[in-house]
Amino acid sequence: MANRDIERGVKNRSNNYYHETTTEKSWTSWLIPVFVVANVAMFIVTMYVNDCPKKNSGLQGGCVAKFLGRFSFQPTKENPLFGPSSSTLEKLGALVWRKVVHEHQGWRLISCIWLHAGVIHLLANMLSLVFIGIRLEQQFGFLRVGFIYLLSGFGGSIMSALFLQNSISVGASGALFGLLGAMLSELLINWTIYSNKAAALFTLVIIIAINLAVGILPHVDNFAHIGGFLSGLLMGFILLIRPQFGWFERRHLPADARIRTKYKSYQYCLLIGATILLVTGFTVALVMLFKGENGNKHCSWCHYLSCVPTSKWDCGN
């Protein structure tokens, strides 16, 4: 009778959102705020090093917001995002293909995700990070979310370097898209524990599609977005998997009343498949990058993923 009562209690619990009080807890989000502070601090350092009034004293039009002194911005013709010069970004660690491959500065694959091209760029990314990252960290903790963020940013940088070899790239967009990808894979791998799953999936896919579509505009590094998204998607299958409903509550029951496996068969399949794809993908991409391969030579149409030419703009630059 006791076992039946427990079983009935398990079945009657709301599955609106999965939460096992005996083992799951709501984490306090501190890593994401630290990431935000670090990005803002790095932008301040970037503008200090840029020192527009000193380096552009004879420039026609002058600096923007001169009252900020050495923190004033480059002329809008050079940087419409209200930020530093390209040379300053390159000096501080922007992603530059020739420096990564020919000058052995692989650290730029990580350093570039902490730099931003301007105030507008920084604000857009940090607002997205707060809305996406805090929720994930509260649910899964700082270790898993932090690892997804950093590795997704790294994956985005690798893909950007493979396909955009004549420009520089900065920003946390790849890492942010990694968190979006992780949200999608978390929903898929934990599919059975959600209610209104179709609505949640539709909403998330629309958000991702819109953000990727914006990436086909000129001057937006959509390869970093795609690389980060794919990295986060695969890591979500690995790191954000949840035990099947009721497993924690019934694991102390007699053997005949327990749920035999912690995860469902499809969860194991997704976890194993994602692990193989993630390791293989990073290995192949890194080998190609440091051999100096140009990804566009192996994919003649891939350049359209980052910029689609129209009568309004040209993607040649």
Side-chain angles (χ1 to χ4, degrees), residues 6 11 37 54 86 120 134 149 166 190 208 229 238 253:
I6 293 175
K11 289 182 177 180
V37 171
K54 179 179 179 180
S86 297
I120 296 175
I134 287 181
Y149 180 88
N166 297 316
N190 302 316
I208 293 170
F229 174 78
I238 300 168
L253 297 179

Side-chain angles (χ1 to χ4, degrees), residues 7 18 30 33-34 38 60 64 67 90 94 99 118 135 144-145 155 160 171 206 226 230 299-300 305 308:
E7 184 175 357
Y18 184 78
W30 63 268
V34 166
Q60 185 176 3
V64 177
F67 63 89
E90 185 173 334
K99 290 185 175 293
R135 171 189 171 275
R144 285 183 279 186
V145 172
S160 177
I206 290 297
I226 296 170
L230 293 176
C299 180
S300 59
L305 295 175
V308 177

